[in-house]
Structures are given as structure tokens and as C-alpha cells.
Amino acid sequence: LAACFVMLLIVIHEYSYDKHNDKLDNIYRVYTYLPASDMNFYGVPIPLNNYIKENIPEVEKSARAYRGSISAFLSNEESEFEETKAYYVDEELLDILTIPILKRTGNELLSNPNSILISRSVSEKYFNGKNPLGQVITVKPHFPKDERNFIVTGVFEDFPFTSTFKADYLLPMKYGEQLLLQRYSFRANFTTQSWLMVTNLEILLLKNANATAEQINSKLPKYSDFVDDPRNEYNYKMHSYSSVHLNAKYANWNPHSVDDTTIKLFTGIAILILVIACLNFIIMSTSKFNIKSKDVGIRKVLGAGRSNITAHILIESVLYALLSFPITIILIGLIHNNIAAYLNIELADNYYFSLGLILIFIVLTIAVGLISGIYSVFKLSNLSPLQTISYKKSIRKNQLKSTPILLILQMTVFIALVFSSFIIKQQIDYFTEAQLGFNKNNLLIIRVDDLTPAKYKSLKEELKNAPYIRNVTGANIFPPTSGGALLNVQRKDEPSTIISTHNIAMDFNFFQTLEIPLKEGRYFSEEFITDSVSSVIINETAAQAINVGIGDMIMERQVVGIVKDFKYGSLRENIPPILMNIEKTKYINEIAIKYQANSETETIDHIQNVWNEFTSDQPLEFYYMDEKFDDVYKSDYNFASLINVSSLLAVLIACLGLFGFTVFNIEQRIKEVGIRRVLGASTFDILFLFIRKFLLVIILSSVIGLALGSYFTREWLSNFVYRIDITLLDYIVIVAVCTIIIVTTVSLYIVKTIFSNPAESLKYE
């Protein structure tokens, strides 16, 4: 019950996301879809919101939201607060999402470009119980850098933990537009009317109750409706806001998303654990039928009817379950946070039980008791008093025939889970051992923003000025990633065919720092002046997809080198075509530092000292590339952990069932064991006599369990482009391991009975 309820607790928590929004069924989010690469982004163009308002009457309200990091402080105080939950929004957002306003200065909260709304927590942190309305807060966005004073015009209730949209500050979108103009100033003629996608800008809309999602989707425009660019085709679509948290397809940039498949798997395994536990309870109950049958017979002789017997058996079974309930609750309280953390699922602070959850779990506990008792009712309530009291041999045979069916069901689940766990572990090991095409070890990546060319060059030189630093380079993004800039290029021999490529804007020494092997041509070099303006290096996949080689032109740049394919993103995906070129400093967002092994401490100290000299107003942010790859597969690691834990539970419960059935079997033939011992049978002879009865159980369970496990794991492996193969040896190993477990469990009680005194088993009752 504890194992099942912990999983259900997590499932209920995850499905509760965004349920606090009163209009959730009619809230949708607009996103950008790229047909050439079949990718989704929730970044959208700035003017799309006005287009929706003016041309789609089925939309009741729409609003833009743009997330940014800021520093905030009171004008009369020196201490600053670093904040990440800041959004620039249109005021209509307050009518789309449920955002309770606790205090306000008037009806218009964000119409003034100098107004700001803060959460209750921020109000308490800044003003300590004083009235915040009318107070001035100074806001400094991190990127692009700016500073402005805002007047507090409202205080809203803190967003619940189970909210996809979380904000502590809501600022006017008019100010957000000014920041976007600065951020994208490198784009030629970029204005608030430009239809280029703006990363991190999303549009939420509220549809009319009578309208359908299909009607609105059909009226959303395309990029080509406004810009004549045959190489780029973007479509604008929308999806239900309730699907953001539970659908990985729409979860990009959402740190709290969980794949709906994982949640469904939790639910399935929780039910599976309960089912095999119920089967185990039934098998254990069956071993005591010889005692229970006499009890039932006496009750029938004394006048009890079938309904009385049924009620008695079911109440007894339900009481067993209910007696376990308090212990279950204590166990859940002790382990649920640890289990969630182990599976990398975030639970709300102090999330434990509500009255509703308690009632759900009580109902499930009673249901488990009823289900477990039904088999005993079916077997015992129909017996006549004579049958129950004498407990005829025919009844025992009938029970011995029916119990292995339950045992086979348990063994099937047990073998299927063990096989799945074995294969999944091999695939997870393959992640860590797979050749990435470059060296991810001893690579530290630091985040940089808004560096001038001179400042960037000096920073690089200072970073390299240490004996344990081997190389330094910069790029707009480093592997692993599924993001980055996308460029559509025409295939050389078929100009009408558009190839979607990923673009890495980099500095010199990129390939040498990551140790990416060269296949043809050369690396970028500062000795060639044209490399920074008119040269490009591509990977093998791009060379094949675009059908180009050394010396060919791609988007007015000459191919000077072809590097061997390297893993750009996850092993779930094919290696994409990648174009790599030297770019200006303003495109460099990250710096990679290659350091000597076992010098992490010295390297970080050196980086921190250099960083403080150059950017004292920005905290140092860094990560290790090998850890970043681990993060990519974190959900798969969690999935493997879940299967391993479930397999262990299945093995334990199945062994209990096996042990119970063995006890039942031996008790029916205990005199036979004593007679065989007296007549000189060896321990091995008697042991084999009983174990051979389990051979059919093992064979049938193995065939069905391996078939189910194989189907399940092959479906899971199909999600990976790079995966292991399931071999005959895998099946043999699992059958051997499961057979050893089954035989060992069965042998324990048999050996104990064999070595007991035969006189005890042969004496008359």
C-alpha cells in the first residue's frame, strides 16, 4: 500500500498543475512550429498578438508574456535582490489566468508603463507588513542591462507551487518591448512590427466558450503571410495550456515539466504493485483453507447462511487491509519526499495529505481488502458443511490446481519487470559509454552576456593565463542541446529542397577545445582573415544532406572543413546537419574552458578571480559539460530507477507468494514427506519431487513474462536512434536468474520440513 500510495501521491500532485485557473479549459498557448525540422518553440513574433485580437473573433482575450531575470531594490536602501521570476506582460493576462489581487490602487494595474505588481511574498520581504502601494522599486534587468524606477500599483497572491506560470514581479509589456528592441538590435531593421520569432516571448489566449480550438488554429497566420522568404517557413499554432506541464512536446524552457508518459507509467506500476500484492494475499490465504474450511463448516452447521459467510470472510480481509493503513500513512510520510527527489520530481513544500487524499486512500485500502477476499468467498462459501468439516481430498486437489494460476500471474509480472530492468540498465550504461565524437571531460562552461569585443578578448587571455588551463573558446551554445539557431538552406543539386540545419556561432579553437576530429579540409584559423566573415565548417551529416564538399558555397560562405559527426543533442535523436562559423562577440553566450584533470578547485578559483576583475556586477554562472549530459538523460535515469525499484518490490512480493504456496503444498503432503523419509528417501529426492511441480510454472511464466518484457523494452528502445540490441543471451540470463530465485525460495521451507522429525508428522492428530 505504501509503495502504491507514494506513486499515486506523486501522480495526483503532477495532474493538479494549473488546476487553480478557473478558466483552464479555455486557455491556450500559441507557439511557433518549424515544418522543415518538425520542432516546436513557444517563442513568437511581437505583432502576432495584435493580429489575433484584430482577426480572430473566437478569441475573447489574448496577452503576451516575456520572462526575464532582474535585480530589484528599494530606492532608499542599498541591498539588492536577485530575482528570476519576473515577467513583462499585457494587462489582459490578469483576466486569462487566475491571479488574485490582494491590494490595488485602481482598476488599471499595468496600463501605466511605470507601474509594477508584486507578489505577497515580495511585499513582505521588502516592506515587512507596511502598505507597499505607491512605493518605488528600482528594477535592473540583467540582459539587456537597464535601470528604471517603478511604482507599486498592486499586490497579488503568491502563485501555487503547481502553477506553470510563476511570477513574483509583473511589469508592463510596454517596457518589455523596449528591452526586446535593445536585445535584438543586431537584427537589421528590427522593430515591434517585425515577424521574426522572439525567444522566450509567449502568447496566452482565452477562447470563447462556444468556439473550438480547430476554428482558431485554422485562422492563425503563417510567417510567409507577412514575409517573402522561401527558405523559412514558420507556422503558428496553439495548444491547451493544461498540456504544458505534462507534455514534453510543449515543455521547452519549462523547468517543471514532466512527461505524461512517465506519469501514466507511475500509475500503471502503482496498480501493478497492488494487483500482485492482492494475488499474494490470496495465495497466502489459500494455504490456510484447511483451517478456514472447518470454521466455515461449523458456522454453517450452527445456521449461518451464504451471505453471513461471505460477509465474515470479506470483513476479515478488509480488516487486515485497514490494520495496515496507519503503518502505510507513517511510511508514506517518511519516504514520499525522498522518493520524489530520487525520481527528480518536485513536490510542493510540505505536500503530504489533504482530507480528500486520505479518503481516496481509505477507499483504495478497503477495495484491496475486498478484492483479496473475493477468492476465499468463491472457494469456501459454496461448500457444504460435510465438505468443509471433512475437507475432502478432491477439494485439496481443486485448490492445488487453481493456486498455480495465480502464481503464474505473479511470476509473469516478476519476470517481465526483471527483464525490463535488465535491458533498461544496459541502455542507460550505453549512455555513459557512448562515443560522443568529442571529449566532454574536464570541460567547464561559463555564461557570459553583453561583452564588448575588447572585453571578451581580454577575458579570454586572462582565463588562459594559468598552467592548468589547456584551452579556451566561445560559442553561442555548446552540446548537449536541442536548441540553438536554425538555418534553412537549399540542397546543392535540388534547390527546391530545403534542409533545416543547426547553426553554431563560435570563436576560434572551438574544435581543438572539444577535441572534435577533422575529416576533410582544415579548422578555422586566425591566420586566414576570411575565416571570420566568409568561411564555414560543416559536419558529415550536413555534407551529405546538402550535397556539398570542400570549396562549395553555403549561404555565401565557403566550406573550408568537414568535421566528423558529434552528438549535438540526445541519443534519442539523429545527429542533425550542423553549420559552424566564426561570429562576432555579441553572439557568444558561453565560454568553454578545458582544464587539466584533478585541477577543478584551482580552475574555479582562477576563473572566479578573473571574473570578478571583468564583471563585478554579474554573478559567475558555470556548469560542467559531463554533468550537462547527465542532465539530458536524467529522465531516463529516473525511469530506470523506477523500474529497478518496482522489480525489487515485485521480486519480494512474488517470493512471499511462492513461499506461501510452498507452505500450503507441504502442509497437504507432510505425512507423505515423513513416510518417504522413513522409507529411506534422500533429501535431494524429496526436494526434486516438490520442485519439479514448479517447472511448469517457471516455463509458462518465463514465456509470457519475457514476451511482455521484450515488447515493452523494444517499444521504449524505439525512442532512441542510438540503442543496444536485445540478444538471445539476455533472455537466457534472465531465465537463469529468475529460476535461481524461484528454486531458492521454494527450497527454504521444503528443506526445513525434510529435516524435521518424521514422528511429528506421522503421529495421529
Side-chain angles (χ1 to χ4, degrees):
L1 285 175
C4 172
F5 289 172
V6 164
M7 289 184 179
L8 291 182
L9 199 68
I10 293 172
V11 168
I12 292 170
H13 181 271
E14 296 305 300
Y15 275 116
S16 68
Y17 263 76
D18 297 313
K19 293 295 190 294
H20 66 281
N21 291 298
D22 297 333
K23 305 170 184 176
L24 181 61
D25 291 342
N26 292 322
I27 300 176
Y28 287 79
R29 186 174 74 171
V30 182
Y31 65 95
T32 299
Y33 173 68
L34 284 65
S37 56
D38 190 30
M39 296 182 68
N40 299 318
F41 295 94
Y42 79 71
V44 293
I46 296 176
L48 180 58
N49 188 52
N50 285 336
Y51 178 92
I52 291 173
K53 288 182 176 181
E54 296 170 1
N55 297 281
I56 307 180
E58 289 82 2
V59 175
E60 187 175 316
K61 289 182 180 293
S62 66
R64 296 166 297 174
Y66 172 63
R67 186 173 70 234
S69 297
I70 64 171
S71 296
F73 58 94
L74 300 180
S75 300
N76 57 352
E77 295 183 9
E78 295 182 357
S79 58
E80 290 188 10
F81 296 96
E82 297 291 332
E83 309 289 359
T84 57
K85 297 179 182 178
Y87 275 86
Y88 309 94
V89 302
D90 292 314
E91 190 168 7
E92 289 87 345
L93 186 74
L94 302 176
D95 298 320
I96 298 174
L97 299 177
T98 299
I99 308 176
I101 304 298
L102 305 179
K103 298 179 182 179
R104 60 195 303 162
T105 56
N107 293 327
E108 297 181 348
L109 295 171
L110 288 172
S111 57
N112 188 322
N114 294 318
S115 57
I116 186 174
L117 303 182
I118 59 176
S119 67
R120 177 173 53 81
S121 296
V122 170
S123 176
E124 292 172 356
K125 180 170 66 175
Y126 279 67
F127 303 103
N128 196 23
K130 298 178 182 178
N131 184 12
L133 299 180
Q135 299 293 327
V136 176
I137 292 180
T138 302
V139 172
K140 295 168 61 177
H142 291 171
F143 183 69
K145 288 180 168 51
D146 194 42
E147 182 175 330
R148 183 175 296 192
N149 293 331
F150 290 89
I151 300 172
V152 178
T153 57
V155 178
F156 56 86
E157 182 58 79
D158 291 344
F159 284 89
F161 185 89
T162 53
S163 175
T164 299
F165 184 94
K166 293 186 181 74
D168 283 328
Y169 301 83
L170 295 178
L171 296 109
M173 193 64 207
K174 291 181 180 178
Y175 179 52
E177 287 181 351
Q178 297 176 28
L179 295 178
L180 287 174
L181 289 175
Q182 295 180 50
R183 178 177 178 181
Y184 290 97
S185 59
F186 62 88
R187 290 179 174 174
N189 303 318
F190 182 80
T191 69
T192 55
Q193 301 306 312
S194 299
W195 279 87
L196 291 172
M197 184 181 71
V198 175
T199 304
N200 222 22
L201 177 69
E202 57 185 311
I203 292 178
L204 298 182
L205 57 84
L206 181 68
K207 76 174 182 67
N208 293 326
N210 298 326
T212 65
E214 291 74 17
Q215 287 176 317
I216 300 175
N217 255 326
S218 65
K219 294 184 178 182
L220 287 171
K222 297 180 179 180
Y223 176 74
S224 57
D225 295 338
F226 309 97
V227 180
D228 184 15
D229 185 359
R231 290 188 312 178
N232 292 313
E233 182 58 46
Y234 308 131
N235 299 337
Y236 306 113
K237 299 183 178 182
M238 70 175 194
H239 64 89
S240 171
Y241 193 66
S242 60
S243 66
V244 175
H245 180 70
L246 291 173
N247 194 327
K249 181 180 178 181
Y250 304 120
N252 42 343
W253 295 299
N254 178 18
H256 299 292
S257 64
V258 176
D259 191 354
D260 187 41
T261 304
T262 302
I263 298 302
K264 289 178 179 177
L265 180 69
F266 281 5
T267 309
I269 291 179
I271 295 171
L272 202 61
I273 288 173
L274 270 191
V275 168
I276 59 177
C278 288
L279 290 173
N280 183 70
F281 185 87
I282 293 168
I283 293 170
M284 298 291 279
S285 298
T286 303
S287 67
K288 298 298 180 183
F289 270 7
N290 59 337
I291 299 173
K292 287 186 177 182
S293 63
K294 294 179 181 180
D295 175 67
V296 170
I298 293 172
R299 290 177 183 276
K300 285 197 171 187
V301 169
L302 295 176
R306 182 176 177 180
S307 60
N308 301 111
I309 300 299
T310 299
H312 172 77
I313 295 173
L314 290 180
I315 289 172
E316 182 184 54
S317 181
V318 169
L319 281 176
Y320 270 117
L322 287 176
L323 284 171
S324 71
F325 187 74
I327 305 173
T328 300
I329 296 298
I330 294 171
L331 283 173
I332 295 173
L334 292 174
I335 67 175
H336 78 285
N337 276 325
N338 293 331
I339 295 295
Y342 183 64
L343 297 172
N344 197 38
I345 291 179
E346 293 188 70
L347 297 180
D349 293 338
N350 302 319
Y351 176 70
Y352 188 27
F353 288 124
S354 64
L355 179 60
L357 282 174
I358 291 288
L359 291 176
I360 289 173
F361 291 160
I362 288 176
V363 170
L364 282 174
T365 303
I366 293 173
V368 167
L370 290 173
I371 293 170
S372 300
I374 286 175
Y375 183 81
S376 297
V377 169
F378 177 74
K379 283 292 181 183
L380 295 175
S381 63
N382 289 328
L383 298 178
S384 68
L386 182 61
Q387 286 177 315
T388 56
I389 293 174
S390 63
Y391 201 62
K392 292 182 179 179
K393 185 178 180 181
S394 60
I395 301 171
R396 295 200 300 270
K397 282 187 176 180
N398 190 35
Q399 288 165 346
L400 285 169
K401 288 178 181 177
S402 57
T403 306
I405 297 175
L406 304 176
L407 210 56
I408 288 171
L409 290 174
Q410 270 198 331
M411 295 300 102
T412 297
V413 174
F414 150 49
I415 292 172
L417 282 174
V418 171
F419 179 80
S420 300
S421 177
F422 182 68
I423 298 300
I424 290 170
K425 183 183 184 304
Q426 289 189 67
Q427 178 67 15
I428 297 299
D429 291 341
Y430 177 69
F431 291 161
T432 58
E433 298 169 2
Q435 297 298 316
L436 301 176
F438 64 92
N439 188 354
K440 63 181 173 62
N441 299 319
N442 304 325
L443 268 173
L444 186 147
I445 315 297
I446 62 175
R447 176 78 183 180
V448 296
D449 286 321
D450 202 22
L451 290 177
T452 62
K455 196 173 183 180
Y456 169 73
K457 186 175 182 179
S458 299
L459 176 63
K460 260 186 63 177
E461 292 302 320
E462 285 297 320
L463 287 173
K464 287 193 293 186
N465 190 22
Y468 32 82
I469 303 296
R470 293 171 52 190
N471 223 325
V472 179
T473 190
N476 63 333
I477 196 165
F478 285 92
T481 179
S482 59
L486 295 175
L487 294 175
N488 290 336
V489 300
Q490 296 171 312
R491 184 176 167 89
K492 179 183 176 182
D493 55 339
E494 299 177 11
S496 60
T497 301
I498 302 299
I499 306 298
S500 180
T501 68
H502 289 250
N503 177 243
I504 300 179
M506 60 179 62
D507 193 7
F508 295 97
N509 294 328
F510 178 89
F511 303 105
Q512 293 89 333
T513 303
L514 271 65
E515 300 177 24
I516 298 175
L518 184 69
K519 183 182 180 182
E520 296 180 46
R522 61 175 177 82
Y523 292 130
F524 291 127
S525 173
E526 294 183 82
E527 297 177 2
F528 295 87
I529 300 175
T530 57
D531 276 1
S532 59
V533 291
S534 60
S535 297
V536 64
I537 291 178
I538 60 178
N539 66 345
E540 293 174 289
T541 299
Q544 295 172 3
I546 310 172
N547 192 26
V548 292
I550 301 297
D552 288 328
M553 302 296 292
I554 300 178
M555 299 183 69
E556 300 179 355
R557 285 179 177 263
Q558 187 180 46
V559 178
V560 297
I562 300 175
V563 295
K564 292 188 176 182
D565 282 336
F566 58 93
K567 304 296 188 299
Y568 181 72
S570 167
L571 291 176
R572 290 178 178 272
E573 307 156 355
N574 280 309
I575 296 175
I578 305 175
L579 309 184
M580 294 154 281
N581 54 277
I582 303 297
E583 271 294 357
K584 299 176 182 177
T585 302
K586 60 185 176 183
Y587 294 101
I588 303 299
N589 298 320
E590 296 177 332
I591 293 178
I593 301 166
K594 186 77 171 182
Y595 59 90
Q596 291 179 1
N598 303 318
S599 63
E600 290 89 346
T601 303
E602 298 90 340
T603 299
I604 293 174
D605 290 341
H606 173 67
I607 293 171
Q608 186 69 66
N609 293 333
V610 173
W611 186 262
N612 291 338
E613 292 179 15
F614 283 83
T615 56
S616 58
D617 60 337
Q618 183 180 344
L620 175 65
E621 299 177 19
F622 69 89
Y623 63 86
Y624 295 98
M625 183 175 282
D626 54 354
E627 293 180 355
K628 185 73 174 289
F629 268 92
D630 289 339
D631 289 341
V632 170
Y633 304 117
K634 186 171 288 185
S635 62
D636 297 303
Y637 295 149
N638 297 336
F639 175 77
S641 300
L642 176 66
I643 294 295
N644 289 335
V645 172
S646 303
S647 300
L648 179 60
L649 281 171
V651 169
L652 291 175
I653 295 173
C655 287
L656 284 174
L658 267 174
F659 191 80
F661 177 68
T662 304
V663 170
F664 168 56
N665 200 350
I666 292 294
E667 284 185 353
Q668 305 306 311
R669 304 175 63 182
I670 193 164
K671 286 186 173 61
E672 178 189 342
V673 174
I675 293 171
R676 289 180 182 273
R677 284 291 311 279
V678 171
L679 294 178
S682 67
T683 301
F684 177 79
D685 292 333
I686 299 174
L687 189 61
F688 181 74
L689 178 71
F690 285 93
I691 287 179
R692 70 181 183 182
K693 294 184 178 295
F694 290 93
L695 292 179
L696 182 61
V697 171
I698 295 173
I699 293 171
L700 288 176
S701 300
S702 297
V703 171
I704 302 172
L706 290 176
L708 290 174
S710 179
Y711 173 78
F712 171 74
T713 50
R714 288 182 190 278
E715 285 292 310
W716 182 72
L717 288 172
S718 67
N719 294 317
F720 300 90
V721 174
Y722 304 94
R723 55 182 179 266
I724 62 168
D725 294 320
I726 300 177
T727 65
L728 179 61
L729 182 62
D730 296 324
Y731 294 102
I732 295 173
V733 168
I734 294 303
V735 170
V737 170
C738 292
T739 301
I740 291 171
I741 293 173
I742 293 171
V743 170
T744 302
T745 304
V746 169
S747 301
L748 291 175
Y749 192 78
I750 298 175
V751 172
K752 175 181 176 294
T753 304
I754 293 173
F755 284 102
S756 63
N757 187 354
E760 291 295 323
S761 60
L762 291 175
K763 71 180 181 179
Y764 184 68
E765 283 98 332

